[in-house]
Each structure stands twice: as C-alpha cells, then as structure tokens.
Amino acid sequence: MRATLIYGAGDVRVETVPDPKLSEPTDALLRVVRSCICGSDLWPYGSMPARDRGVRIGHEFLGVVEAVGSDVTTLKPGDLAVAPFVYSDNTCQFCREGLHTSCLHGGNWGAKGVDAGQGEAVRVPQADGTLVKLPHTEDDDLLASFLTLSDVFATGHHAAVKAGVNERTTVTVIGDGAVGLSAVLAAKRLGAERIILMGRHRTRTDLGREFGATDVVAERGDEGIEKVRELTNGEGTHTVLECVGTKPAFEMGVGAVRPGGTVSRVGVPQYAEGPIGPSLFRRNITVTGGVAPARHYIPELLEDVVEGKYQPGKVFDRTIGLEEVPGGYRAMADREALKVLVKP
C-alpha cells in the first residue's frame, strides 16, 4: 500500500510500504477514508534531523473496518469508525478516569511497529477501546467534521474543559490555527458569551467569528496583551486557551488572564522554561491543559456533530489526494492552507 513517511525537515515522501495485517486478536484493519495533516506534524517537518530511513507519520484518520481480530466484539467489517490520535484499551484505570492518553496499554500511531494515519490502511491495536463507530455517510462535509473528532476539535474542547469555561467565564483564545478555531467553537458550545480570538489571518479569524468569537485581536506580545485588557476593563479574561505551543504565546496568555484566572495550554510546548514564578503566584493564576484524551470526548462531541449543531470540519480549507501529501505539508508550513484534508 501507499503511505506517508518523513525523512527529515522539509522531506516528506509517499512510498509503498507493506500492507498491514492482523497481528493480535485485539487488532482491526481499517481502510482509510479520510486523514489529514496536523499542525503538530509541522514541528518535525520544520526541524527533524535528516535520516536514511523514513518514519511513518499521521495520527488523524477515519475509515472502514476491513477485518477484525478474534477478540474484537464492538466492530465488524463494513463499519465506519474514527480513531483518536492515540490508541488505548478504554478499560485500564487511566482510561476509566478519562485519561486515555496515559493508557497502560496504549501508544502512538507510527511508533513501535504501529501504522500511522496518512496512508491507505492502518492496523489498529486495541480496536475495541480505540475506534468509535460512526453513522455511515458519504457526505464530504460530515466526514470532515467526523475527522476533527480524532484530534483537533477534541483538543480545542479539552482546552476549554480544563480551563473551566462556562456561561459565566470570559475567554481569550491564542492562535488562529485549526486548534485555536476549534477552541473558539468549543468555548461557544460550553456557553461562553465573550470570546476574544488572538490571530492575524483574516480568513481564519472570519471563521473564528463564525464559530463564536466576539472580538479579534491581531496584535501580539505586550501590544496584544494591552488590547485584551482594553476590551475587558483592564482586568483580562477569566480563562485563556493557549493553542500555539510557543513561549511567546504562553507569555501572552499569562499577560491576558485576569487575577484568579486559568491558562489552559494545548499547543504542544516547543520550550522547556516559561514564566511560572512570582507573577503567577501573586495573581493566583492556574496553569493547566495537556494532551487531549480525545477518546474520552468523542462520544459527547459526536452527538452534536451528527445532529448538525456544530460543523468543526470547516477548518479544512484544502483537500488533496494521498500522492499530493508532500505539497500539503508545504502549503500548511507556508501558511497557504489552514488545515489539509487527505482523501486517499
């Protein structure tokens, strides 16, 4: 089959790899119907040291079950299902607590002999615990929204949940990428009436307004912090959802949050140290966030997507075939595309 491999910074290739096969009784084989390129894929794309052998990449996908192992009971061939961005058994103590990203028997796509999502097919370990069955559809828009459940919409939702967003909280979202826009949608879904989106790309912030942002701040750094405070009577917002992962974004979050507020980080941190000293302590700031347990959130979010209450799939602004994936990476890295959907 054909699949995507990364060899180093700027070097993504689509090559022929061995077809996946069932190896454990808990496995399923999934023919990929939709996958996509994640903003977090751009970090290795921008900085990974060159290597002689490529590694599989991609962690957001959905597809049709082709075969199941003898222990799989919740799925059958022909089912349409979505995979969260990590696999898990859904039964260990951490999964039962809603923390599937710390599953004792889970892991990452593309690691330790496991297939990755940007390809034609995937062997799914722990299939009963990992895959969530979807209603059958051939509607492109609905499939796109289903795909966001694997990561980006669930991650935006995680940011809002960890921050405690509700109808009584004001919200600042930092970042107008797909996760940031998903966080706007998630905050609106949880009842927030004041949502300030910090972003400077007009087409993206326009979508942010459609998703529920009430204000847009294009300024960055101290100027951006001051603008947020101007909009909030000098106080800042109750919550900040930091959806970028850089130190300047975190610093803006700390500056934009009000005393007693919460900064929730879901952008993968690209820094080892940050402003966590006396300023946060004196202002009673809570810093939270982390890797989103998408499997925990999918059933809840799926219901609203199926009913048409939310259309998170609008974050996809370009659709390509599998062989065009290298160009899709370039388009996202060059900010020519917000989020690229792959249709094998």
Side-chain angles (χ1 to χ4, degrees):
M1 72 169 190
R2 302 287 283 173
T4 305
L5 295 91
I6 183 168
Y7 283 80
D11 188 1
V12 168
R13 311 176 197 177
V14 178
E15 300 180 344
T16 299
V17 301
D19 292 340
K21 298 179 180 179
L22 296 174
S23 62
E24 300 291 339
T26 52
D27 288 348
L29 296 183
L30 199 75
R31 174 174 55 84
V32 176
V33 173
R34 297 289 188 278
S35 64
C36 58
I37 301 170
C38 183
S40 62
D41 294 331
L42 299 182
W43 295 119
Y45 184 72
S47 62
M48 178 178 164
R51 51 189 299 159
D52 294 332
R53 297 183 61 183
V55 294
R56 298 283 297 278
I57 192 169
H59 54 260
E60 301 164 279
F61 61 96
L62 60 82
V64 175
V65 176
E66 297 279 278
V68 297
S70 58
D71 288 352
V72 176
T73 61
T74 63
L75 300 157
K76 64 182 184 303
D79 285 342
L80 182 69
V82 63
F85 65 87
V86 298
Y87 62 88
S88 60
D89 62 18
N90 201 32
T91 59
C92 80
Q93 64 192 61
F94 292 108
C95 289
R96 292 196 303 271
E97 294 170 6
L99 197 61
H100 295 70
T101 47
S102 294
C103 177
L104 297 174
H105 306 107
N108 297 313
W109 304 110
K112 298 180 180 179
V114 177
D115 296 308
Q118 291 169 18
E120 293 180 317
V122 175
R123 177 181 70 85
V124 178
Q126 305 290 345
D128 275 336
T130 300
L131 295 174
V132 178
K133 190 157 59 173
L134 302 168
H136 275 280
T137 183
E138 295 183 2
D139 182 275
D140 284 335
D141 291 338
L142 188 54
L143 285 169
S145 286
F146 284 162
L147 182 58
T148 67
L149 300 176
S150 67
D151 184 349
V152 66
F153 190 25
T155 295
H157 179 68
H158 184 59
V161 168
K162 294 292 286 184
V165 172
N166 57 45
E167 64 276 1
R168 297 180 299 278
T169 54
T170 52
V171 181
T172 294
V173 175
I174 298 178
D176 58 10
V179 172
L181 296 177
S182 296
V184 170
L185 188 61
K188 182 66 175 179
R189 179 179 175 274
L190 292 175
E193 294 184 357
R194 184 77 183 273
I195 303 171
I196 301 170
L197 173 60
M198 300 190 76
R200 56 174 54 186
H201 303 88
R202 179 65 182 272
T203 56
R204 301 183 181 193
T205 56
D206 283 350
L207 181 57
R209 289 187 183 277
E210 181 181 340
F211 278 178
T214 53
D215 305 273
V216 171
V217 171
E219 294 84 357
R220 295 182 179 178
D222 290 341
E223 190 178 359
I225 292 169
E226 182 61 30
K227 185 67 175 180
V228 171
R229 293 193 169 275
E230 287 178 9
L231 293 170
T232 56
N233 298 317
E235 296 178 355
T237 53
H238 296 94
T239 61
V240 172
L241 313 184
E242 194 277 281
C243 302
V244 179
T246 62
K247 186 176 179 180
F250 182 41
E251 290 171 339
M252 281 201 303
V254 171
V257 72
R258 68 182 304 212
T262 300
V263 178
S264 181
R265 303 183 304 160
V266 293
V268 180
Q270 302 302 304
Y271 54 94
E273 298 179 353
I276 59 171
S279 174
L280 270 72
F281 182 81
R282 287 194 298 268
R283 296 166 61 211
N284 283 283
I285 303 303
T286 297
V287 178
T288 185
V291 185
R295 179 61 181 83
H296 175 62
Y297 296 129
I298 287 175
E300 173 189 351
L301 299 175
L302 174 60
E303 183 176 346
D304 284 350
V305 170
V306 170
E307 292 178 2
K309 293 181 180 178
Y310 304 98
Q311 296 176 290
K314 288 186 176 182
V315 297
F316 295 107
D317 59 348
R318 183 173 299 191
T319 299
I320 61 174
L322 181 59
E323 300 296 331
E324 302 171 284
V325 164
Y329 272 83
R330 288 192 295 271
M332 285 184 61
D334 294 341
R335 296 296 184 96
E336 295 173 359
L338 168 58
K339 190 167 180 67
V340 173
L341 185 145
V342 182
K343 187 176 179 180

